[in-house]
């Protein structure tokens, strides 16, 4: 049986592809290349260019490749963009997930692993959030993912499909072997922006808000290495195949760094003192969000790349190698 990875040409999906290959399994990738890149997909991996909302294409793929599990990464992921253009997020992240689920049900796909987000929790007002924390998204992005979560649970209940919903905290870093990393143009994510600034590709960077109720006034996030996260998908799918128990799991390390601490880590690792400007708060930003990851750890998750310096080192190495390749 074969795994289908939607969004496998993208940042997180691409690392999942590598994780499968590293253990000797070849997945199939479906991607519309809207943000991902064809060159990110190793040549031995079957690639289909197409839309996750195209139910008939999906049915063909499921049949042709005997797909028994779908890992659904393809999505739009930028919080401020979702506030400016919510309909794009509800189409891309919610309506297309519905279409994909329909294909999965018609094609009798047994397992569905979904990329959800800590953004479903909104501004939780507690030190850490566990999976029972009542969701209250602050952005259309978080809401678009939460709506998909509800659909997935209803589909499992009605048609017997089994699922794992993984709620990612702040994903960063790059493949330790340098095979893949975050290549998205005009990235808005903190570590990526700070590294681009450190490398002189941006004249300065902004810190959005310094009056949050956090130790240094800047927002606190739980930064998780993308390769540890990719490995969590394999673990979750293996367990799902073993016991058939549907689950919702936080994917974070259970510790937080402020924006200032991240900037200092990038300065230290890159060895440069780039310019940072103070800017107003960014809409949709919770003050602090840190995972309780007990459930994932109980399943056997053993993250190895949790050191913030390691996350930054890998992201920096990837960013430098991108220039060499051009
Ligand atoms: N930030 C800056 N300057 C920048 C970029 C970001 O100060 O140039 C700040 C943001 O305001 C925020 C923090 O850095 O306080 C992290 O921002 P990111 O844009 O890196 O990430 P978000 O926390 O907004 O969102 C990310 C993912 C979501 C996911 C969420 C989970 O984009 O998909 O983490 O916490 F849901």
């Amino acid at each position: 049986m074969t795994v289908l990875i939607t969004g496998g040409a993208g940042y997180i999906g691409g690392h999942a592809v590598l994780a499968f290959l590293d253990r000797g399994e070849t997945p199939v990738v479906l991607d519309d290349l809207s943000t991902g890149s064809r060159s990110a997909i190793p040549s031995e991996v079957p690639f289909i260019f197409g839309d996750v909302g195209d139910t008939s294409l999906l049915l063909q793929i499921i049949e042709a490749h005997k797909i028994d599990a779908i890992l659904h990464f393809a999505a739009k992921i930028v919080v401020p963009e979702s506030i400016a253009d919510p309909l794009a997020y509800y189409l891309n992240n919610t309506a297309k997930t519905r279409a994909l689920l329909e294909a999965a049900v018609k094609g009798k796909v047994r397992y569905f692993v979904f990329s959800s987000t800590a953004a479903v929790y909104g501004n939780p007002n507690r030190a850490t959030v566990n999976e029972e924390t009542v969701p209250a998204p602050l952005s259309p992005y978080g809401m678009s993912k939460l709506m998909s979560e509800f659909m997935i649970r209803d589909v499992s209940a009605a048609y017997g499909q089994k699922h794992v919903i993984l709620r990612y905290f702040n994903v960063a870093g790059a493949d330790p072997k340098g095979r893949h990393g975050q290549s998205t143009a005009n990235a808005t994510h903190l570590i990526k922006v700070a590294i681009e600034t450190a490398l002189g590709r941006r004249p300065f960077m902004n810190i959005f808000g310094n009056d949050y109720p956090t130790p240094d006034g800047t927002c606190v996030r739980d930064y998780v290495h993308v390769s540890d996260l990719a490995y969590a998908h394999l673990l979750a799918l293996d367990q799902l195949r073993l016991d058939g128990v549907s689950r919702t799991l936080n994917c974070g390390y259970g510790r937080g760094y402020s924006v200032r601490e991240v900037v200092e880590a990038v300065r230290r690792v890159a060895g440069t003192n780039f310019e940072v400007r103070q800017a107003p708060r960014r809409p949709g930003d919770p003050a602090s969000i840190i995972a309780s990851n007990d459930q994932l750890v109980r399943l056997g998750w053993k993250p190895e790349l949790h050191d913030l310096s390691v996350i930054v080192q890998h992201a920096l190495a990837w960013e430098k190698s991108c220039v060499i390749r051009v």
Side-chain angles (χ1 to χ4, degrees), residues 77-80 117-120 141 168-171 188-191 193 205-209 212 219-221 223 259 282 285-286 289:
I77 58 157
V78 180
V79 171
T117 169
V120 300
Y141 166 64
Y168 308 162
F169 284 65
N170 286 59
V171 189
T188 57
H189 291 120
L190 177 63
I191 291 182
V193 167
M205 64 166 288
N206 291 309
I207 290 184
F208 298 125
Y212 286 96
C219 291
V220 171
R221 297 286 184 275
Y223 294 92
V259 175
R282 197 177 67 173
D285 273 345
I289 178 128

Side-chain angles (χ1 to χ4, degrees), residues 76-109:
K76 287 177 163 287
I77 58 157
V78 180
V79 171
E81 184 185 62
S82 79
I83 294 169
D85 191 5
L87 287 177
Y89 275 69
Y90 290 122
L91 171 62
N92 206 76
N93 294 359
T94 313
K96 289 189 182 182
T97 296
R98 189 219 160 272
L100 176 61
L101 284 167
E102 185 178 331
V105 169
K106 285 188 175 153
K108 299 190 170 38
V109 174

Side-chain angles (χ1 to χ4, degrees), residues 21-44:
L21 289 175
D22 284 348
R23 71 169 189 182
E25 278 179 59
T26 306
V28 172
V29 166
L30 171 69
D31 202 298
D32 67 0
L33 301 182
S34 55
T35 55
S37 146
R38 176 69 183 91
S39 62
I41 306 165
S43 53
E44 66 267 41

